[in-house]
């Protein structure tokens, strides 16, 4: 289990619980995703003035599901598309393939999210 939290200063806090099914490479992969993708996505969204929360889950096949919750409860599809495009631009600038990522932008009140919080 990984926990990744970001605040106004985008500090991170990572903790790992012992799981028999996690390998050292799984842990390292998750840390790389946090450091190379998620932190930068959060920074770019913050820099563009978006209020949001972010959660993620690294799936067994190494794909990553990211849920970005906009604080604007009446967010337009245009705003959601803008936020998703920012995340995709960051991903394309990394060594990871964009098709490995599923990005969902939802209103903050929506509770259908992965188990890991950023």
């Amino acid at each position: 289990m990984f926990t990744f939290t970001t605040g106004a200063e985008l500090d991170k806090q990572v903790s790992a619980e012992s799981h028999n099914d996690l390998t050292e490479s799984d842990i390292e992969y998750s840390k790389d995703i946090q450091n190379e993708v998620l932190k930068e996505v959060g920074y770019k969204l913050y820099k563009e003035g978006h209020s949001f929360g972010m959660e993620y889950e690294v799936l067994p096949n190494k794909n990553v599901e990211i849920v970005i919750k906009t604080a604007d409860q009446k967010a337009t599809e245009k705003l959601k598309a803008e936020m998703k495009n920012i995340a995709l631009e960051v991903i394309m600038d990394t060594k990871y393939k964009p098709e490995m990522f599923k990005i969902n932008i939802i209103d903050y009140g929506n509770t259908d999210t992965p188990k890991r919080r950023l």
Side-chain angles (χ1 to χ4, degrees):
M1 168 81 70
F2 293 96
T3 303
F4 186 79
T5 56
T6 59
E9 297 161 9
L10 298 177
D11 293 330
K12 70 177 181 176
Q13 200 172 45
V14 178
S15 64
E17 293 179 8
S18 176
H19 289 287
N20 294 334
D21 56 340
L22 287 178
T23 65
E24 187 68 33
S25 68
D26 291 334
I27 294 169
E28 194 62 37
Y29 180 78
S30 185
K31 286 180 182 179
D32 288 346
I33 292 293
Q34 291 170 1
N35 292 331
E36 297 174 28
V37 178
L38 302 174
K39 185 176 179 181
E40 188 66 16
V41 168
Y43 173 73
K44 295 265 176 130
L45 289 170
Y46 176 76
K47 187 176 172 184
E48 292 294 320
H50 295 290
S51 296
F52 64 94
M54 217 179 349
E55 297 180 3
Y56 81 103
E57 185 168 6
V58 177
L59 304 173
N61 61 0
K62 302 277 186 183
N63 288 345
V64 180
E65 183 177 349
I66 302 171
V67 176
I68 300 171
K69 295 179 172 184
T70 176
D72 183 354
Q73 292 182 353
K74 296 180 182 179
T76 63
E77 290 305 312
K78 182 179 177 181
L79 176 67
K80 291 178 182 180
E82 178 184 321
M83 294 175 80
K84 186 172 185 173
N85 285 336
I86 290 170
L88 286 171
E89 287 174 9
V90 169
I91 292 165
M92 287 190 285
D93 287 342
T94 68
K95 65 183 177 186
Y96 301 102
K97 297 177 183 174
E99 58 269 12
M100 294 173 55
F101 293 82
K102 179 180 177 186
I103 303 167
N104 294 312
I105 312 294
I106 62 174
D107 297 334
Y108 208 85
N110 190 328
T111 59
D112 185 25
T113 60
K115 297 174 185 153
R116 292 174 178 95
R117 179 169 285 253
L118 295 184

